Amino acid sequence: MENYCLTTGCLRNFILSYFDEQHREPCGHCDSEYKTMDLTTPAKNVIRCVAEMQGRYGITAVTGTLLAPSKPRSKKSGRSSIPPMAR
């Protein structure tokens, strides 16, 4: 049971192999099938945004600035110089 919880592969295939049945390609429906991606640039943007805001704003203002910096509220507070994050 512990190995089932810790597997990073297809859960269906894990169960099939446990019962010595043939398994095919991953089913594509498992949450445990991890995909890797480089989050260095988005993390740097978040850190830069928080630094430019000098920690004076909460998470809503930070995410609002990163996702839509051209909104009037972001411009009013001088937070529109930060580039928007890629969606």
Side-chain angles (χ1 to χ4, degrees):
M1 188 59 136
E2 183 178 344
N3 290 336
Y4 177 82
C5 294
L6 297 176
T7 187
T8 58
C10 178
L11 298 175
R12 180 180 177 277
N13 288 343
F14 184 87
I15 292 171
L16 289 174
S17 66
Y18 179 81
F19 291 107
D20 294 325
E21 293 188 27
Q22 290 182 337
H23 54 280
R24 293 174 261 152
E25 298 176 9
C27 66
H29 299 289
C30 299
D31 290 338
S32 65
E33 296 173 22
Y34 295 110
K35 295 176 178 73
T36 59
M37 59 190 320
D38 184 12
L39 296 175
T40 304
T41 302
K44 286 181 179 181
N45 285 343
V46 170
I47 292 169
R48 183 173 147 219
C49 182
V50 172
E52 285 187 19
M53 293 178 158
Q54 299 173 352
R56 294 180 288 175
Y57 300 96
I59 190 167
T60 304
V62 172
T63 54
T65 300
L66 292 170
L67 296 177
S70 60
K71 285 191 174 180
R73 192 168 183 183
S74 292
K75 287 181 178 179
K76 181 180 174 185
S77 62
R79 298 179 279 151
S80 61
S81 65
I82 300 165
M85 294 185 70
R87 294 181 186 179

